[in-house]
Amino acid sequence: MTSDKASGRIGRPGRFWHDNGLGLAFGTAFLIVLVAQAFAGHADYNNRLLGDGMAQIGFGDYITSSDFGVDVMENWQSEYLQFFLYIFATVWLVQRGSPESKELHKAGRESDEDQMVGEHAREDSPTWAADRGWRQGAYARSLGLVMGLIFLLSWLAQSITGTAAYNEQQLRQLQAPTSWAEYLLSSDFWNRTLQNWQSELLAIGSMVILSIYLRQRGSPESKPVGAGHDDTGVEG
């Protein structure tokens, strides 16, 4: 077996940054945008307070407020819903010509040999992949289940922070606050939710269809530039 040192994985300056560049770049960009959102949201919130004739609040008070929380959570839940739906939908549904789809003949759960589970597991396969019991079944669905769980938790957090933010606005207007259950049925909650869901579904559909005919050289989300439009499940 070739050692990491022999293969050049040790001793090369900046190897960690190179090998983890995608995760580090998006993690850093996420934090930058989240902080920028907090500052922009704080300014906007204080402008609304001034418009209502109320005193402004500090930055620390804003980022711990329900107003900031609901804005963050409503975006998180829609993003994780997108991944949850896409992960499970692409098990069974295919799209001719799209690199976002499996090959047409592979629709479904695929064979144990294709998935390298049980007796077909390799030496470097995760331990639970070789198990024949419930652990393999759980691990085989772990990505979709975790995405679904994060979606539900962030949606719950959105509903709780949304209730608090809604009631704060109600009190400013000298109107009666509402309960959490009542807020779940309100137009405010579903307006916040559905406007995010429709944008995520549009983004998924656009990526699936546009990637049939358009290319991005070097990207695994695109087919090779010279691949035919009908080539399916082929990544560049």
Side-chain angles (χ1 to χ4, degrees), residues 31-68:
L31 293 176
I32 292 173
V33 173
L34 182 63
V35 171
Q37 177 193 345
F39 279 106
H42 176 234
D44 179 65
Y45 187 73
N46 275 336
N47 285 337
R48 284 185 277 134
L49 288 178
L50 284 175
D52 292 337
M54 302 182 68
Q56 295 182 320
I57 65 172
F59 182 74
D61 290 330
Y62 174 72
I63 62 174
T64 57
S65 71
S66 57
D67 193 87
F68 178 67

Side-chain angles (χ1 to χ4, degrees), residues 6 32 41 58 61 75 88 90 93-94 97 99 120 157 161 172 179 195 197 207:
I32 292 173
D61 290 330
N75 284 292
F88 278 102
T90 51
L93 303 179
V94 294
H120 302 289
T161 55
R172 283 187 209 161
S179 68
Q195 66 178 306
W197 286 6
M207 185 65 182

Side-chain angles (χ1 to χ4, degrees), residues 1 9 116 120-130 139:
M1 181 180 293
R9 293 178 184 172
M116 295 178 288
H120 302 289
R122 305 182 316 193
E123 280 189 26
D124 61 344
S125 295
T127 303
W128 283 25
Y139 188 69

